[in-house]
Amino acid sequence: MPVFRQVGEKQLPNPILYMAWSPNRDLIALANTSGELLLHRLANFQRVWSLLPNENTGKEITSLAWRPDGKVLAFSVGDTKQVVLCDAEKAEILHLFPVEYPASCMHWMEVQDDSSTLASFSESEDESSRFLPKLPTLPKSYSTTSKIFSEEKSDEVTNLLGEVRLNILVVGGPSGFVELYAYGLYKIATLSGISGTCRSLGLSSDLKSLSVITEIRSAEDNPEIHYIQLDTGLLSSCLPELTKMARKFTHISTLLQYLRLSLTCMCEAWEEILMQMDLRLTKFVQEKNTSTQVQDEFLELLLWGHASPELQALLMNQLTVKGLKMLGQSIDSSYSSIQKLVISHLQSGSEALLYHLSEVKGMALWKQKFQPLGLDPAAIEDAIVAVGSFTLKASELLQVIDKSMKNFKAFFRWLYVAMLRMSEDHVPPELNKMTQKDLAFVADFLSEHFSANEELFDRKGKYFNVERVGQYLKDEDEDLISPPNMEGNQWVTFVKQSTQLKDSPLLFPTYPQKSLHFVKRMMEGSIDLCLQKPAEVIGHSVTQAVCLRLYTVPESSENAPRLFELPSLWNDKKAAMHYVVFCMPEISPSKIYILRRATDPNRSVPNGLVALNLNAPLNSSIDDETPAPTSADSSYSCLDARFYDDETLTVVLRSREDDENKMRVLAQLHLNSVLSWDEEFTWDLTLRLEQQTEGIPVQGLAWGNQSREMDNLKAQFVAVNGIRKVACVLSANLRHVRVFEMDAEEEEEEEERADESQEMSSDQDKLEDTMTNQSDAGEGGDGAGGAEVAQVAGQGSGDILDETAGSDTL
């Protein structure tokens, strides 16, 4: 029986462009040509969910990467130039961010650090929950764009961050574009000096170096594959500080998004119906024949109860009693909603921002630890001041809302009674009473809000600005139409008269002429400067340690999906090594090349390159003295190769026979003895590796029985997960997949041992039975034994599925 057990097979309607196994679950993510993202379970290749393309995310998926804990899946979208983080359990979009170029490859790694430096940091990592209130949930009924935070709780940021241990998402693209994102959320480095298009990325778990495979157009216009190792020593030497800074800035970035969506909800709570009064009054001015001011018309109605025919027509025919009630209800509902959002969301979010920025400022002042990472105390102080100004502007909006609600209530109550009297309807007794104080209040409101403004008509096409809240929510650079009157404010007067306080850095500046949106943009700009500075400083600290020219891309593979093509990268965490696996089919079709380099660029590795010879029979051994036959039936070429674990390589091989239906083989190559050799290869860095293959040491292979022929499948690519011991093979037409459990032999041996134990038990029962019933008991015993064996086997397979399902939590 084949050593690899097939557990699923499927013909898919659309070609697959990328596939990636979850790091610690029996789940595989697939991206196809139609822009769909699919998640399948190992058992029977059952689909768990699918995420269809949409306008917000995009339609052209260009790469995939799993977060190391398997809870979040990242995919890049080419047409919208975005990276999207998706919840693996619910298929919900958690976060997305734009990138300068369409990402062509991604890699998500977790730092492996056994020292106690992070242990103490973990205990005091984030005490904000002890001092700050929980962020309220954003209303679901407002914006569809706020779905990310529609169920946002204060601990959602922690869920996105995952564990305290740092993980970094590396994104690469054309023109040498490479960026590093801490926790997949905050950009900590923008790298420069890389040539060509990134094909594959591998950041070492000790953060000492980054391996990059790039494709560069040579002088002959042929694409060349280069291996580049970048020295990222600053990330490694400042790991605790980097982790703390990254988590703080990730909190800050998420809070900014929270404030943006809160402001979006406020804008949607403000209704266009609130502009109705301004537009009707403007039309009234344009149509009336008298020279009397609108303000005088309303004051005459207030004092004498008399309205001109024009005003009466405006009130009774256009505004109407019913329309006035609807307008009053809309204003009350809208203002109340905006007021609640300001108090509960804007102010809570601003307080949290001030807290985290103040902590970052304290970190920046510890120059010995954090200055190498680019934290600038002056820029952070500017950001704190900007957040303070935003908080003051939100408080100003609250005062305007409170005053407007009082004014409108008194005005509408008076106008409603006046209109009932015009229509000779019954006036409720509770509305008929109006004190002298109420009259004075309405008179002040009319004199302040109902004077026609010619300049305003030239700017906005209306003479009046009775509604004062909407101007704060306009995303415009213009000054407020009706800024608040600060003449009677004692504090403002005191500050202006005090030479010490007037320009004091202790006071947050106010912008009385600007809208809330304008001040929010100023705040975002100041905070972005803080967030971008470390990314620039860390990016400039990264230097190129080595650049090796490998080979030119064969013409036959130029149209193949780049996402699947070799070389593939692997990081051996225990040995602190980078591995590069590649083939040069035009030069040596029957060889696989393995390049290894230490993750520490300053540490040299002897015997850094070896070629594995595939011209060996399946059951051969390295120790065999008999030379490998050269017949066609034992000659293979490599189609795809991926590291299964630190010591095993999973490959898809093709027989080099002349037959059109060439045999395809899935095999496991054990590298323990292969990776130790005495010969040293001397690189000539001026030449490509394919031009100097004669001196490369060649090793044979011990395949043993670790292989399986791919019957009725033109296998071409493979994705593996050594932790879960699974593999997925994809056909050359990118539509046919087969899924295998790679260590099924051990499970089968356990089942055989269970069968033997059941047979022994059955034989013992036979000996104890009487001779008379021996025949019947024997038959019954065999049947029972068979049933028990079937039950054990069923339980065994059930345990596999239960373990799978238990690990999925889907």
PDB file of all heavy atoms in Angstrom, residues 485-504:
ATOM      1  N   ASN A 485     -19.296  82.238  18.657  1.00  0.00           N
ATOM      2  CA  ASN A 485     -18.994  83.567  19.190  1.00  0.00           C
ATOM      3  C   ASN A 485     -18.324  83.422  20.553  1.00  0.00           C
ATOM      4  O   ASN A 485     -18.939  82.995  21.516  1.00  0.00           O
ATOM      5  CB  ASN A 485     -20.291  84.379  19.305  1.00  0.00           C
ATOM      6  CG  ASN A 485     -20.024  85.816  19.706  1.00  0.00           C
ATOM      7  OD1 ASN A 485     -18.874  86.223  19.816  1.00  0.00           O
ATOM      8  ND2 ASN A 485     -21.089  86.574  19.914  1.00  0.00           N
ATOM      9  N   MET A 486     -17.041  83.789  20.633  1.00  0.00           N
ATOM     10  CA  MET A 486     -16.271  83.621  21.853  1.00  0.00           C
ATOM     11  C   MET A 486     -16.105  84.929  22.623  1.00  0.00           C
ATOM     12  O   MET A 486     -15.310  84.985  23.566  1.00  0.00           O
ATOM     13  CB  MET A 486     -14.868  83.066  21.506  1.00  0.00           C
ATOM     14  CG  MET A 486     -14.886  81.673  20.893  1.00  0.00           C
ATOM     15  SD  MET A 486     -15.486  80.430  22.062  1.00  0.00           S
ATOM     16  CE  MET A 486     -15.252  78.920  21.114  1.00  0.00           C
ATOM     17  N   GLU A 487     -16.831  85.953  22.243  1.00  0.00           N
ATOM     18  CA  GLU A 487     -16.627  87.264  22.867  1.00  0.00           C
ATOM     19  C   GLU A 487     -16.954  87.244  24.359  1.00  0.00           C
ATOM     20  O   GLU A 487     -16.279  87.872  25.160  1.00  0.00           O
ATOM     21  CB  GLU A 487     -17.479  88.323  22.151  1.00  0.00           C
ATOM     22  CG  GLU A 487     -17.011  88.600  20.738  1.00  0.00           C
ATOM     23  CD  GLU A 487     -17.853  89.663  20.064  1.00  0.00           C
ATOM     24  OE1 GLU A 487     -18.772  90.182  20.736  1.00  0.00           O
ATOM     25  OE2 GLU A 487     -17.594  89.979  18.896  1.00  0.00           O
ATOM     26  N   GLY A 488     -17.962  86.516  24.750  1.00  0.00           N
ATOM     27  CA  GLY A 488     -18.341  86.500  26.158  1.00  0.00           C
ATOM     28  C   GLY A 488     -17.688  85.398  26.964  1.00  0.00           C
ATOM     29  O   GLY A 488     -17.986  85.246  28.167  1.00  0.00           O
ATOM     30  N   ASN A 489     -16.785  84.627  26.353  1.00  0.00           N
ATOM     31  CA  ASN A 489     -16.145  83.515  27.050  1.00  0.00           C
ATOM     32  C   ASN A 489     -15.015  84.052  27.938  1.00  0.00           C
ATOM     33  O   ASN A 489     -14.036  84.616  27.452  1.00  0.00           O
ATOM     34  CB  ASN A 489     -15.588  82.512  26.030  1.00  0.00           C
ATOM     35  CG  ASN A 489     -15.131  81.224  26.668  1.00  0.00           C
ATOM     36  OD1 ASN A 489     -14.325  81.220  27.574  1.00  0.00           O
ATOM     37  ND2 ASN A 489     -15.659  80.119  26.166  1.00  0.00           N
ATOM     38  N   GLN A 490     -15.175  83.884  29.245  1.00  0.00           N
ATOM     39  CA  GLN A 490     -14.213  84.447  30.184  1.00  0.00           C
ATOM     40  C   GLN A 490     -12.838  83.800  30.071  1.00  0.00           C
ATOM     41  O   GLN A 490     -11.808  84.481  30.201  1.00  0.00           O
ATOM     42  CB  GLN A 490     -14.741  84.285  31.617  1.00  0.00           C
ATOM     43  CG  GLN A 490     -16.033  85.046  31.874  1.00  0.00           C
ATOM     44  CD  GLN A 490     -16.527  84.867  33.296  1.00  0.00           C
ATOM     45  OE1 GLN A 490     -15.936  84.131  34.073  1.00  0.00           O
ATOM     46  NE2 GLN A 490     -17.618  85.537  33.626  1.00  0.00           N
ATOM     47  N   TRP A 491     -12.779  82.492  29.832  1.00  0.00           N
ATOM     48  CA  TRP A 491     -11.486  81.816  29.715  1.00  0.00           C
ATOM     49  C   TRP A 491     -10.714  82.296  28.492  1.00  0.00           C
ATOM     50  O   TRP A 491      -9.513  82.551  28.563  1.00  0.00           O
ATOM     51  CB  TRP A 491     -11.686  80.307  29.652  1.00  0.00           C
ATOM     52  CG  TRP A 491     -10.435  79.538  29.303  1.00  0.00           C
ATOM     53  CD1 TRP A 491     -10.149  78.933  28.147  1.00  0.00           C
ATOM     54  CD2 TRP A 491      -9.283  79.361  30.138  1.00  0.00           C
ATOM     55  NE1 TRP A 491      -8.909  78.349  28.185  1.00  0.00           N
ATOM     56  CE2 TRP A 491      -8.349  78.605  29.409  1.00  0.00           C
ATOM     57  CE3 TRP A 491      -8.955  79.765  31.442  1.00  0.00           C
ATOM     58  CZ2 TRP A 491      -7.109  78.245  29.918  1.00  0.00           C
ATOM     59  CZ3 TRP A 491      -7.712  79.398  31.958  1.00  0.00           C
ATOM     60  CH2 TRP A 491      -6.810  78.653  31.197  1.00  0.00           C
ATOM     61  N   VAL A 492     -11.421  82.426  27.350  1.00  0.00           N
ATOM     62  CA  VAL A 492     -10.759  82.899  26.137  1.00  0.00           C
ATOM     63  C   VAL A 492     -10.222  84.308  26.350  1.00  0.00           C
ATOM     64  O   VAL A 492      -9.086  84.631  25.953  1.00  0.00           O
ATOM     65  CB  VAL A 492     -11.734  82.852  24.943  1.00  0.00           C
ATOM     66  CG1 VAL A 492     -11.108  83.496  23.714  1.00  0.00           C
ATOM     67  CG2 VAL A 492     -12.144  81.417  24.647  1.00  0.00           C
ATOM     68  N   THR A 493     -11.003  85.143  26.984  1.00  0.00           N
ATOM     69  CA  THR A 493     -10.559  86.523  27.266  1.00  0.00           C
ATOM     70  C   THR A 493      -9.349  86.521  28.185  1.00  0.00           C
ATOM     71  O   THR A 493      -8.377  87.271  27.977  1.00  0.00           O
ATOM     72  CB  THR A 493     -11.707  87.315  27.900  1.00  0.00           C
ATOM     73  OG1 THR A 493     -12.846  87.260  27.043  1.00  0.00           O
ATOM     74  CG2 THR A 493     -11.301  88.760  28.117  1.00  0.00           C
ATOM     75  N   PHE A 494      -9.358  85.676  29.197  1.00  0.00           N
ATOM     76  CA  PHE A 494      -8.248  85.613  30.156  1.00  0.00           C
ATOM     77  C   PHE A 494      -6.959  85.166  29.478  1.00  0.00           C
ATOM     78  O   PHE A 494      -5.884  85.708  29.714  1.00  0.00           O
ATOM     79  CB  PHE A 494      -8.625  84.657  31.288  1.00  0.00           C
ATOM     80  CG  PHE A 494      -7.517  84.374  32.248  1.00  0.00           C
ATOM     81  CD1 PHE A 494      -7.050  85.359  33.118  1.00  0.00           C
ATOM     82  CD2 PHE A 494      -6.910  83.124  32.288  1.00  0.00           C
ATOM     83  CE1 PHE A 494      -6.017  85.096  33.997  1.00  0.00           C
ATOM     84  CE2 PHE A 494      -5.879  82.856  33.160  1.00  0.00           C
ATOM     85  CZ  PHE A 494      -5.423  83.848  34.029  1.00  0.00           C
ATOM     86  N   VAL A 495      -7.059  84.133  28.600  1.00  0.00           N
ATOM     87  CA  VAL A 495      -5.861  83.643  27.914  1.00  0.00           C
ATOM     88  C   VAL A 495      -5.293  84.700  26.981  1.00  0.00           C
ATOM     89  O   VAL A 495      -4.074  84.892  26.892  1.00  0.00           O
ATOM     90  CB  VAL A 495      -6.189  82.346  27.147  1.00  0.00           C
ATOM     91  CG1 VAL A 495      -5.027  81.935  26.261  1.00  0.00           C
ATOM     92  CG2 VAL A 495      -6.532  81.216  28.114  1.00  0.00           C
ATOM     93  N   LYS A 496      -6.158  85.419  26.277  1.00  0.00           N
ATOM     94  CA  LYS A 496      -5.683  86.451  25.356  1.00  0.00           C
ATOM     95  C   LYS A 496      -4.962  87.581  26.086  1.00  0.00           C
ATOM     96  O   LYS A 496      -3.999  88.156  25.577  1.00  0.00           O
ATOM     97  CB  LYS A 496      -6.869  87.020  24.564  1.00  0.00           C
ATOM     98  CG  LYS A 496      -7.383  86.094  23.484  1.00  0.00           C
ATOM     99  CD  LYS A 496      -8.517  86.749  22.710  1.00  0.00           C
ATOM    100  CE  LYS A 496      -9.009  85.840  21.591  1.00  0.00           C
ATOM    101  NZ  LYS A 496     -10.124  86.454  20.824  1.00  0.00           N
ATOM    102  N   GLN A 497      -5.431  87.883  27.285  1.00  0.00           N
ATOM    103  CA  GLN A 497      -4.838  88.994  28.038  1.00  0.00           C
ATOM    104  C   GLN A 497      -3.587  88.582  28.788  1.00  0.00           C
ATOM    105  O   GLN A 497      -2.832  89.443  29.246  1.00  0.00           O
ATOM    106  CB  GLN A 497      -5.871  89.555  29.029  1.00  0.00           C
ATOM    107  CG  GLN A 497      -7.058  90.222  28.366  1.00  0.00           C
ATOM    108  CD  GLN A 497      -8.124  90.641  29.357  1.00  0.00           C
ATOM    109  OE1 GLN A 497      -8.044  90.314  30.543  1.00  0.00           O
ATOM    110  NE2 GLN A 497      -9.129  91.379  28.883  1.00  0.00           N
ATOM    111  N   SER A 498      -3.338  87.261  28.928  1.00  0.00           N
ATOM    112  CA  SER A 498      -2.175  86.781  29.666  1.00  0.00           C
ATOM    113  C   SER A 498      -1.031  86.498  28.702  1.00  0.00           C
ATOM    114  O   SER A 498      -1.131  85.638  27.828  1.00  0.00           O
ATOM    115  CB  SER A 498      -2.536  85.508  30.442  1.00  0.00           C
ATOM    116  OG  SER A 498      -1.390  84.942  31.031  1.00  0.00           O
ATOM    117  N   THR A 499       0.070  87.232  28.855  1.00  0.00           N
ATOM    118  CA  THR A 499       1.217  87.034  27.964  1.00  0.00           C
ATOM    119  C   THR A 499       1.891  85.690  28.213  1.00  0.00           C
ATOM    120  O   THR A 499       2.487  85.107  27.314  1.00  0.00           O
ATOM    121  CB  THR A 499       2.241  88.162  28.179  1.00  0.00           C
ATOM    122  OG1 THR A 499       2.582  88.218  29.582  1.00  0.00           O
ATOM    123  CG2 THR A 499       1.661  89.502  27.742  1.00  0.00           C
ATOM    124  N   GLN A 500       1.829  85.184  29.463  1.00  0.00           N
ATOM    125  CA  GLN A 500       2.452  83.898  29.764  1.00  0.00           C
ATOM    126  C   GLN A 500       1.662  82.729  29.177  1.00  0.00           C
ATOM    127  O   GLN A 500       2.230  81.759  28.684  1.00  0.00           O
ATOM    128  CB  GLN A 500       2.578  83.701  31.287  1.00  0.00           C
ATOM    129  CG  GLN A 500       3.616  84.593  31.952  1.00  0.00           C
ATOM    130  CD  GLN A 500       3.063  85.995  32.217  1.00  0.00           C
ATOM    131  OE1 GLN A 500       1.854  86.233  32.053  1.00  0.00           O
ATOM    132  NE2 GLN A 500       3.944  86.901  32.617  1.00  0.00           N
ATOM    133  N   LEU A 501       0.315  82.795  29.237  1.00  0.00           N
ATOM    134  CA  LEU A 501      -0.510  81.696  28.757  1.00  0.00           C
ATOM    135  C   LEU A 501      -0.777  81.740  27.259  1.00  0.00           C
ATOM    136  O   LEU A 501      -1.105  80.722  26.660  1.00  0.00           O
ATOM    137  CB  LEU A 501      -1.848  81.678  29.501  1.00  0.00           C
ATOM    138  CG  LEU A 501      -1.805  81.286  30.979  1.00  0.00           C
ATOM    139  CD1 LEU A 501      -3.194  81.410  31.584  1.00  0.00           C
ATOM    140  CD2 LEU A 501      -1.296  79.869  31.141  1.00  0.00           C
ATOM    141  N   LYS A 502      -0.627  82.904  26.683  1.00  0.00           N
ATOM    142  CA  LYS A 502      -1.029  83.075  25.282  1.00  0.00           C
ATOM    143  C   LYS A 502      -0.292  82.104  24.366  1.00  0.00           C
ATOM    144  O   LYS A 502      -0.899  81.486  23.478  1.00  0.00           O
ATOM    145  CB  LYS A 502      -0.778  84.518  24.857  1.00  0.00           C
ATOM    146  CG  LYS A 502      -1.339  84.859  23.490  1.00  0.00           C
ATOM    147  CD  LYS A 502      -1.160  86.339  23.187  1.00  0.00           C
ATOM    148  CE  LYS A 502      -1.757  86.680  21.832  1.00  0.00           C
ATOM    149  NZ  LYS A 502      -1.589  88.130  21.521  1.00  0.00           N
ATOM    150  N   ASP A 503       1.007  81.956  24.556  1.00  0.00           N
ATOM    151  CA  ASP A 503       1.802  81.069  23.707  1.00  0.00           C
ATOM    152  C   ASP A 503       2.373  79.903  24.503  1.00  0.00           C
ATOM    153  O   ASP A 503       3.413  79.335  24.154  1.00  0.00           O
ATOM    154  CB  ASP A 503       2.947  81.854  23.055  1.00  0.00           C
ATOM    155  CG  ASP A 503       2.447  82.987  22.178  1.00  0.00           C
ATOM    156  OD1 ASP A 503       1.453  82.759  21.466  1.00  0.00           O
ATOM    157  OD2 ASP A 503       3.033  84.076  22.222  1.00  0.00           O
ATOM    158  N   SER A 504       1.707  79.509  25.560  1.00  0.00           N
ATOM    159  CA  SER A 504       2.218  78.435  26.400  1.00  0.00           C
ATOM    160  C   SER A 504       2.068  77.087  25.706  1.00  0.00           C
ATOM    161  O   SER A 504       1.012  76.781  25.145  1.00  0.00           O
ATOM    162  CB  SER A 504       1.463  78.409  27.730  1.00  0.00           C
ATOM    163  OG  SER A 504       1.816  77.267  28.482  1.00  0.00           O
TER     164      SER A 504
END
